Amino acid sequence: MLVHRLEGNFQVQGRQQQPQQQRRPWSDSLAHDSSQQRPLQSQPSNAREEPSSEFNQLTLADQYRTSNQISDSMRRSKRPAVDQDSCYPNKKDDRGSGSPFSVRHEQALSHATSPPPALTRTPTPSQGYRSTQRTPLSSPKLPPPAPASGPRPHSRQPSHLHSGSLPQDGPLEGDTKMLLQPETRPISQEQLVNEVKGIYAGLVMVEKKCVEICQQQSQTTNKLSNEQWQALIALHRTLLHEHHDFFLASQHPTASPALRRLPTKYAMPARMWRHGIHSFLELLRHRLPFSLEHMLSFVYLAYQMMGLLMESVPAFHETWIECLGDLARYRMAIEESDMRDRENWSNVARMWYNRAADRSATTGRIQHHLAVLARPNVVRQLFYYSKALISGIPFVNARDSIMLLFSPFLDKYETTSQKYLKVETSLVTAAGVLFTRGFVHDYCLHISRFASELDGTINRTGSNFKIQGAEMASSLIAMILDFGSDENFLWKALCADSENNKQRQMEGQSDQPSGTNPSEDPVAKSQMRRKFWEQNDPINLQDFVQATAPLGDRPGVKFSSSDEVTSYVLPVWYQCISIVAAKVGDRNILPFLHFTLSFLWGLSDVPEALIYLENYVPWDKLVLSLNSMSRSGVVDNEVEAPGFPQQQSGTGRQLPEDFLMRGFKWSHCHYYDPEFFEGQVTDEDDRTLELPSHAAPRAERCLWLGVRLASLKRYITYDSSSKQFSCTEFTQALPPVSLTNTFQVPASLENGEDTSMIDVV
C-alpha cells in the first residue's frame, strides 16, 4: 500500500514534460565550442524582454525576506498546500534521452546499486553546511566564498531523520556536567514519506523561482548590483541545500525501495545541475568580466556541495565525479591572470574525468571532456576526440566539437602550421580532410608528408614517442574506421559484434544463475575464435568483403563514401607500421606496436573485419620486429600461455598505454580481461610515468599478442623451441603496398618543400 500511495503522489498530473536539456560546461576558453553551448530553459511565449521593475528595484533584504518566506512556508507543514502542477516532479520523456546530459544520468542512475550511508545530522541554521571540510583532499585548497551580506536563509532541519533528539538548551557557561545519551526514536515509513514530500514541495518552489529569474536575466544585458548578485547566489544556494536534504531523506537507510528510486525516476541529479548550477553559471559567464567575483564565489560553493554529496550520497558517485570535473573546467576557464592556477585547475578537472573513466571506460563523453583539456597538444586532442567517436558508447556530439580542432588547419593552414611540428600538422590536417569529405589531393599531400616525417620524428623525440606513438596509432585506426561513420564497413561489423555480445550476455544471465557471461569469458571467446580460424576447410575469400585499392591522387575530386576513406587510409597505415617496425632494438616504438597488435588481435574476434584489411598489414615487418625484440626479463611461459598476462609492472599491472587503449569497441571485450582494471590499478599520478620496469612487461605483451596471432594459423607462425616467428605462405604471396606509387607524391614534397593546400569548401 505504501509503495502504491508513494508512486501515486509523485505522478505528473496534466503537465506537459519539457525535454531534458543537455548539460554542457564551457571549454577552457570563454569562446567555447558550439557543442558545449546549450540555451537555458526554453522561454515561455509570454516572456518579457526586460526583467520586471520589481526585480530591478529589489534590495538584498527583500531577496532574503523572500527566501525566508519560502523557508517559513516549508516549515509550517510537511505537506504544504501548493499548486498541483508545480508540486510533483516531471518524468523524463523519450525526447530528452538523446542529450548527452540525460544519457549520463540515465546510465549513472540506472547502475546505482551501492547502499546509501547512514544519514548524517542536518546542521542547525547557526552551524550552516560545513562542506569545506568535506571537500576531497585531492582537490586544491579553496578559499571560502565571499559571504552574502545579511542573514543566511534558514535551512531546514528535518525532525524525523535524526537517530536521536537534540537537547533544546545547551549547557550553561562553566557547567561541566556530562550530557546524557540522547533518546533514540525510530522513524516510520509514513514519517519518512511525509518528510520527502515536504522537502520536495519546498524544492519545487525554490526551483521555480530560480528558473524564472534566469529566464528573465538571459533576455537582457542590464547590469546587476552586487546586492542583487548576492541575492541570486543565496537563492541558488538554497536550492542546492534543498536538493541535499532530498537526497539524504530519499536515501535514508530505512527508506523503502520506492523512496530510493525517486531521485533516479525523476532525474533529480540532472535537475540539480541544470537549474541549480549550470544555468546560473552560464548567466554569470555571459556577464563577465563584471560578474567575475560572483562567479568565483558560486563555483567554490557548488564545488563544495558536490564534494559533500559525493561523500554523503554515494549512490550517484559517478554523477558527482563528472560534475566536479565540469566545475573545475569552469574554474579553469575563467582564470586568466595566473597561469599556474589555471594549470592546477586543469589538472583537477583531468583527475576527476580520469576517475569517471575508471568507472565508465566505454563512455565516449568522458573522452570528449579530456579532449578539451588536451589543448594545445593537437595530436592528443585528435586522439581523445576520435576515441569519443569510436568508444564502446560513442559520443556523437563530438562530431561538432572536433571541428574546433580541424577548422584552423583547414581554413588557415599556412598560419596554423607554423605553431606545430610538420608531423603533427600533416596528420591533423589529413584527418580533417577525411572527416569533412574534402579533396583527395589535399589528403594525399598531407598524409604523404606525415609518412615522410614519421621516421625522423621517432629519432628526434626519443622516449617522448612512447605516448605520442600510441596516440598516433589510435588516430590512424580511427581514420580507418572513418571516425565511427554508420556507413563504414569495419565500424558496422564491430557494432554488430557488440550487439551480439550484449544479446549473448542477456541469454547467459538467464541460463546461468551463477552470473557467468559467455561474451566476457576468455575460454568461451577462445573457443568461438578457434571454431572459425581453425576450421578444416580453407577460408573462401569470395564469402568475404575485402578493402579495395585507392584510385590514387585525383585533383579536384572529393571523397564520396566512407569505404573510399578507408581505402585511402589503409596504405598509409601499412607504411607507418613498416616504418615503426623497422626500428630494430628501439624500445620507444613498443607502445605503437602494442596498440597495433592489440587492434589486430581484437579484430580476430570479428573475422570479417580482419579479413577485410588483411592485405594491408605488413606481416613480414611485424615478424622482423617480434624476432628482434629484447627478451630480457620476459617470461616465456607467460608469452606462450593462452591467458592474458597478469604480471606486475612498475607501480601496478597496467602499462601507460593500457589506459589509452581501454574503452574501444575492439579492446573492451576482445583484448582485456574484465577484471584487468580492477583491484591492483596504477595510481592516477603514476599512470603517465615511463619507468624502466615497464620495458620487460611491454615486450612480453607484444610477444604474447604475436603468439596469439600465430594461433590463427593464417598470417604468421611461432616456433616454441626456437622462440621465432615466421610468415605463412599466404602472407608471403601478398604484394607489397607502396605509399609513393599509390598516391604519386609530388616532387616538391619529396624535396622537403612546403606546398599550399586547397581550401576545403
Side-chain angles (χ1 to χ4, degrees), residues 360-373:
S360 304
T362 59
T363 303
R365 183 185 61 258
I366 307 298
Q367 308 304 320
H368 171 270
H369 298 335
L370 291 171
V372 177
L373 296 173

Side-chain angles (χ1 to χ4, degrees), residues 569-636:
V569 180
L570 285 176
V572 181
W573 188 54
Y574 177 98
Q575 190 74 7
C576 293
I577 297 175
S578 302
I579 294 173
V580 173
K583 300 289 184 179
V584 177
D586 190 350
R587 293 183 175 182
N588 298 325
I589 66 170
L590 293 185
F592 185 101
L593 289 179
H594 184 196
F595 224 106
T596 303
L597 291 171
S598 62
F599 174 65
L600 294 174
W601 176 240
L603 290 187
S604 66
D605 277 345
V606 192
E608 63 271 20
L610 183 56
I611 294 176
Y612 181 82
L613 50 74
E614 63 183 5
N615 295 337
Y616 291 92
V617 179
W619 300 105
D620 55 340
K621 302 296 190 303
L622 291 176
V623 165
L624 174 63
S625 180
L626 291 172
N627 288 334
S628 60
M629 196 171 295
S630 174
R631 287 179 174 259
S632 175
V634 174
V635 181
D636 292 335

Side-chain angles (χ1 to χ4, degrees), residues 236-420:
H236 285 79
R237 180 175 62 235
T238 302
L239 179 58
L240 293 180
H241 290 165
E242 293 297 324
H243 274 283
H244 179 256
D245 290 346
F246 179 85
F247 284 118
L248 289 182
S250 62
Q251 302 302 305
H252 192 269
T254 62
S256 64
L259 270 179
R260 296 188 183 186
R261 288 194 302 264
L262 287 179
T264 303
K265 184 175 182 180
Y266 298 104
M268 297 305 294
R271 289 173 58 182
M272 183 183 67
W273 174 268
R274 177 185 176 186
H275 302 304
I277 300 176
H278 180 252
S279 60
F280 188 48
L281 282 176
E282 287 296 298
L283 175 62
L284 287 163
R285 182 178 67 84
H286 287 295
R287 301 297 179 88
L288 288 172
F290 305 104
S291 61
L292 178 60
E293 294 299 326
H294 303 289
M295 189 170 185
L296 287 172
S297 176
F298 186 72
V299 167
Y300 291 140
L301 169 66
Y303 192 93
Q304 293 166 358
M305 177 57 70
M306 285 300 171
L308 176 61
L309 285 170
M310 189 171 65
E311 293 184 2
S312 58
V313 191
F316 310 112
H317 192 75
E318 297 179 8
T319 303
W320 310 141
I321 286 178
E322 194 168 349
C323 290
L324 284 167
D326 294 342
L327 288 169
R329 280 175 59 193
Y330 269 100
R331 179 61 183 87
M332 175 201 69
I334 59 179
E335 184 58 63
E336 295 182 350
S337 59
D338 192 336
M339 290 298 101
R340 180 176 297 181
D341 282 352
R342 183 184 178 92
E343 182 62 25
N344 289 339
W345 281 103
S346 175
N347 293 332
V348 171
R350 190 176 294 107
M351 175 200 69
W352 289 122
Y353 290 143
N354 284 328
R355 289 189 182 183
D358 289 341
R359 293 175 171 264
S360 304
T362 59
T363 303
R365 183 185 61 258
I366 307 298
Q367 308 304 320
H368 171 270
H369 298 335
L370 291 171
V372 177
L373 296 173
R375 299 170 183 171
N377 191 325
V378 291
V379 175
R380 188 160 299 165
Q381 283 183 265
L382 177 61
F383 163 74
Y384 280 117
Y385 275 131
S386 58
K387 185 177 181 180
L389 294 172
I390 60 175
S391 293
I393 306 176
F395 184 58
V396 294
N397 288 32
R399 291 189 170 275
D400 298 329
S401 303
I402 199 174
M403 290 306 301
L404 291 175
L405 171 65
F406 291 149
S407 295
F409 292 93
L410 298 178
D411 300 336
K412 300 178 180 179
Y413 175 77
E414 294 183 358
T415 303
T416 308
S417 61
Q418 303 299 323
K419 304 177 183 179
Y420 309 98

Side-chain angles (χ1 to χ4, degrees), residues 202-216:
L203 184 151
V204 170
M205 295 172 61
V206 183
E207 182 182 73
K208 184 178 180 181
K209 187 65 177 178
C210 291
V211 171
E212 291 176 355
I213 294 179
C214 287
Q215 286 179 351
Q216 291 176 356

Side-chain angles (χ1 to χ4, degrees), residues 458 461-467 469 585-592:
I458 298 174
T461 56
S463 61
N464 292 332
F465 187 74
K466 291 180 178 179
I467 294 297
D586 190 350
R587 293 183 175 182
N588 298 325
I589 66 170
L590 293 185
F592 185 101

